[in-house]
């Protein structure tokens, strides 16, 4: 099948490459000239395990192309995937659909024959209806189907999630489009994968409710961690004990610095705003948003408490800056709130991040990137394990921490408090 991915970011690039890998001819397009130029020279703009090799293999086999010529790519394809960003509109908290409609207008002027237009971007309920009405005025008077096929991949595990998904959700009334989508996904629909078809609006909502539910799980366990901290209970035991109940499940039940990234924060805000439009109060999701926003204040207070309020001129080292491991994505990473607050209190920040220095942290005075863990931890007064990268899981902390006064604050509960105590390390985790 000839596919066009509009938007070559985390979703467009990964899903386009995976579709090429199962035998389709895919052209990934983007308005970002630099990105496309880099991709055409073999430079992958994001960090995603396994992606570089897959991109190169599919380019070499002639199934995967990159281009800035959006119009030509649309004209020569049968299925067009809209994979552009839908960030928060800061004024309204709704999803900003500017890029989606820009892409739709491009499709409208290049709809030279029947095509399926698929929204893979996370879009509010009724966006498909709006796209459909824009396309009605296409100059070739071509037929088309607008369907919703939300993407559930997780950064850091994106290829695996795309190739072995729990479910593929397709929202459409069109039998023809459904048949084509089913055949497109056939090679990756395994015994464990359910191909679920529903209405277009239903598919749009499934994506938002899934993210809102996962965000709720995270915020729930984070609040329980606060309770554990003051009642001498280990939150890890609570997570395991609860997670063993199959109705609950163990995933997304690990206490930490709060959810971040490019999806949960913006999608929780967007679903609440969308519901308001329909005069529905999603009070639970609203509380989750507030709870997560409050998380950084709780963590900051905890840092001050364990440092006995002495952070002025102290060196605080962050291990990991991204919002989670195995990605270079800094969008809404918890450290983006913690670091400025600590600088304000006079701290000096050093950080090591496996995917390199971050432009988001460049603007701050007194924030310096270190090239490795030992460089970053040199002379540190407080060591914060912020992201659960594998390379932070086996550190010889006793060797790293030569000065006995160094405090370790493990925001991912990687290490055992008992072992740390045995080694004479001043160690704090989350909820234990
Ligand atoms: N990142 C994730 O883990 C993830 C997972 C599931 C769903 N989603 C959803 O997928 C969508 C895309 O997310 P992302 O993280 O890939 O975004 P991104 O910001 O990484 O990439 C979007 C790309 O679209 C390009 N673009 C914008 N307007 C364009 C246009 N008119 N024509 C061509 N290209 C255009 C941008 O230049 C950018 O490269 C969002 O709605 C997001 O919520 C993301």
């Amino acid at each position: 099948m000839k596919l066009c991915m509009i938007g070559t970011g985390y979703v467009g690039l990964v899903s386009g490459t995976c579709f090429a890998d199962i035998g389709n001819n895919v052209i990934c397009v983007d308005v970002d000239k630099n990105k496309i130029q880099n991709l055409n020279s073999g430079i992958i703009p994001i960090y995603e395990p396994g992606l570089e090799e897959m991109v190169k293999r599919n380019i070499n086999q002639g199934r995967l192309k990159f281009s800035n010529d959006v119009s030509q790519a649309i004209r020569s394809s049968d299925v067009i995937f809209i994979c552009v960003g839908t960030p928060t509109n800061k004024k309204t908290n709704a999803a900003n659909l500017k890029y989606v409609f820009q892409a739709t207008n491009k499709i409208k002027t290049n709809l030279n024959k029947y095509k399926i237009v698929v929204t893979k971007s996370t879009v509010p309920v009724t966006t498909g209806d709006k796209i459909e009405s824009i396309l009605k005025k296409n100059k070739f008077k071509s037929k088309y189907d607008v369907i919703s096929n939300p993407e559930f991949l997780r950064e850091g595990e994106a290829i695996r999630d795309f190739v072995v998904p729990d479910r593929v959700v397709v929202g459409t009334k069109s039998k023809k489009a459904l048949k084509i989508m089913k055949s497109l996904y056939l090679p990756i629909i395994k015994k464990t994968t359910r191909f679920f078809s529903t209405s277009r609006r239903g598919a749009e909502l499934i994506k938002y409710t899934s993210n809102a539910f996962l965000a709720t799980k995270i915020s729930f366990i984070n609040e329980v961690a606060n309770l554990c901290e003051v009642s001498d209970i280990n939150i890890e035991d609570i997570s395991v004990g609860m997670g063993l109940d199959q109705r609950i499940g163990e995933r997304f039940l690990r206490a930490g610095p709060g959810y971040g990234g490019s999806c949960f924060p913006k999608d929780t805000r967007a679903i609440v705003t969308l519901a308001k439009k329909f005069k529905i109060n999603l009070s639970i999701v609203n509380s989750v948003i507030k709870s997560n926003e409050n998380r950084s204040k709780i963590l900051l207070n905890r840092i001050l408490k364990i440092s006995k309020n002495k952070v002025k001129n102290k060196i605080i080292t962050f291990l990991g800056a991204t919002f989670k491991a195995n990605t270079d994505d800094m969008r809404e990473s918890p450290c983006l709130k913690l670091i400025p607050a600590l600088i304000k209190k006079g701290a000096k920040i050093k950080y090591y991040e496996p995917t390199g220095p971050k432009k988001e942290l460049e603007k701050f005075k007194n924030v310096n990137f270190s090239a490795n863990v030992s460089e970053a931890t040199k002379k540190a007064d407080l060591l914060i394990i912020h992201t659960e990268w594998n390379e932070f899981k086996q550190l010889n902390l006793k060797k790293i921490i030569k000065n006995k006064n160094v405090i370790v604050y493990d925001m991912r509960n990687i290490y055992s408090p008992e072992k740390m105590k045995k080694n004479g390390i001043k160690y704090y985790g989350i909820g234990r």
Side-chain angles (χ1 to χ4, degrees):
M1 237 177 268
K2 288 183 180 165
L3 314 181
C4 165
M5 318 304 290
I6 305 184
T8 308
Y10 288 84
V11 165
L13 180 58
V14 170
S15 52
T17 305
C18 291
F19 276 137
D21 210 49
I22 54 172
N24 298 287
N25 287 312
V26 181
I27 179 149
C28 293
V29 293
D30 206 288
V31 286
D32 185 336
K33 290 211 165 87
N34 206 22
K35 194 178 262 188
I36 296 299
Q37 203 174 3
N38 280 339
L39 279 161
N40 279 325
S41 329
I43 301 166
I44 310 297
I46 55 169
Y47 176 86
E48 185 59 51
L51 184 62
E52 186 169 348
E53 187 203 340
M54 208 183 205
V55 168
K56 285 185 178 156
R57 183 170 69 238
N58 284 284
I59 292 177
N60 289 341
Q61 292 177 357
R63 288 191 298 260
L64 182 62
K65 292 195 168 67
F66 299 101
S67 169
N68 290 120
D69 192 344
V70 183
S71 302
Q72 175 55 31
I74 294 169
R75 273 183 255 135
S76 62
S77 302
D78 307 311
V79 185
I80 321 292
F81 287 87
I82 300 177
C83 307
V84 298
T86 48
T88 299
N89 176 331
K90 289 204 173 113
K91 275 191 202 144
T92 62
N93 266 348
N96 181 349
L97 296 175
K98 181 171 97 179
Y99 307 110
V100 169
F101 293 132
Q102 277 169 1
T104 306
N105 281 310
K106 267 277 179 217
I107 298 170
K108 180 181 131 188
T109 49
N110 293 288
L111 201 70
N112 53 352
K113 57 176 184 188
Y114 171 81
K115 291 177 200 294
I116 300 179
V117 177
V118 186
T119 44
K120 223 175 212 330
S121 295
T122 303
V123 293
V125 172
T126 69
T127 306
D129 306 2
K130 288 173 191 148
I131 293 174
E132 190 165 275
S133 71
I134 293 173
L135 296 183
K136 255 183 203 149
K137 295 165 201 144
N138 79 79
K139 71 173 183 189
F140 296 100
K141 297 194 169 75
S142 299
K143 292 207 166 130
Y144 55 89
D145 278 305
V146 176
I147 72 168
S148 168
N149 170 219
E151 185 48 61
F152 299 104
L153 60 77
R154 289 165 299 168
E155 287 172 19
E157 324 238 4
I159 293 179
R160 196 198 153 274
D161 283 351
F162 194 86
V163 181
V164 196
D166 290 335
R167 81 289 208 195
V168 172
V169 174
V170 171
T172 179
K173 267 198 291 208
S174 158
K175 281 191 184 136
K176 182 178 174 181
L178 189 61
K179 202 171 157 201
I180 294 172
M181 289 305 286
K182 223 175 196 170
S183 72
L184 176 62
Y185 274 105
L186 203 60
I188 57 174
I189 299 172
K190 313 252 162 42
K191 273 188 196 147
T192 48
T193 307
R194 177 106 188 259
F195 184 92
F196 180 63
S197 72
T198 176
S199 66
R200 190 168 60 204
R201 288 184 178 195
E204 288 169 341
L205 191 57
I206 285 168
K207 174 64 194 177
Y208 277 109
T209 47
S210 300
N211 277 358
F213 190 78
L214 293 173
T216 305
K217 255 185 127 175
I218 294 172
S219 294
F220 176 83
I221 205 71
N222 282 341
E223 289 201 354
V224 176
N226 298 341
L227 175 61
C228 288
E229 264 166 35
V230 292
S231 55
D232 196 21
I233 298 169
N234 188 340
I235 187 65
E236 299 290 300
D237 292 348
I238 306 304
S239 297
V240 174
M242 280 179 69
L244 286 171
D245 183 332
Q246 286 184 12
R247 292 169 303 175
I248 298 171
E250 61 182 354
R251 292 164 80 192
F252 287 77
L253 215 53
R254 298 288 310 275
Y259 62 77
S262 66
C263 293
F264 289 1
K266 84 169 172 63
D267 292 347
T268 44
R269 291 190 286 263
I271 191 175
V272 164
T273 313
L274 169 84
K276 256 190 216 155
K277 261 193 182 170
F278 286 95
K279 300 199 169 20
I280 297 295
N281 177 17
L282 291 185
S283 65
I284 294 174
V285 190
N286 234 332
S287 302
V288 167
I289 296 169
K290 283 192 191 124
S291 170
N292 197 60
E293 281 170 359
N294 204 31
R295 190 90 192 122
S296 53
K297 285 182 207 137
I298 289 174
L299 295 189
L300 182 67
N301 285 338
R302 178 104 163 125
I303 292 172
L304 295 176
K305 197 171 167 198
I306 63 181
S307 320
K308 300 200 168 59
N309 264 321
K310 288 180 190 146
V311 293
K312 195 166 181 196
N313 292 324
K314 299 284 180 197
I315 297 177
I316 301 181
T317 293
F318 277 73
L319 291 186
T322 51
F323 81 98
K324 66 170 185 174
N326 296 322
T327 181
D328 57 351
D329 201 339
M330 283 293 286
R331 289 178 278 188
E332 309 217 25
S333 171
C335 79
L336 292 174
K337 280 190 180 160
L338 291 173
I339 288 178
L342 288 167
I343 299 172
K344 224 174 166 184
K345 298 211 171 281
K348 293 180 174 142
I349 309 292
K350 284 170 90 176
Y351 76 101
Y352 165 64
E353 159 55 42
T355 59
K358 295 290 154 213
K359 67 174 187 318
E360 292 80 358
L361 296 173
E362 266 169 19
K363 60 178 179 242
F364 299 115
K365 239 175 127 186
N366 284 333
V367 177
N368 290 300
F369 174 74
S370 303
N372 51 51
V373 174
S374 65
E375 176 71 35
T377 49
K378 218 181 262 171
K379 293 192 179 155
D381 296 291
L382 171 64
L383 175 59
I384 294 178
I385 302 175
H386 175 265
T387 314
E388 71 284 24
W389 283 92
N390 277 343
E391 66 176 282
F392 304 149
K393 290 182 181 165
Q394 297 285 346
L395 296 174
N396 187 343
L397 288 172
K398 203 175 166 189
K399 203 171 150 199
I400 290 170
I401 298 164
K402 291 184 186 105
N403 170 359
K404 286 242 181 255
N405 290 321
V406 178
I407 301 165
V408 176
Y409 187 16
D410 178 1
M411 291 187 177
R412 302 291 178 166
N413 288 347
I414 292 173
Y415 290 94
S416 144
E418 290 76 27
K419 272 193 193 152
M420 292 291 121
K421 201 173 169 190
K422 233 191 233 166
N423 286 325
I425 295 171
K426 287 185 188 163
Y427 173 88
Y428 298 86
I430 299 261
R432 43 184 208 169

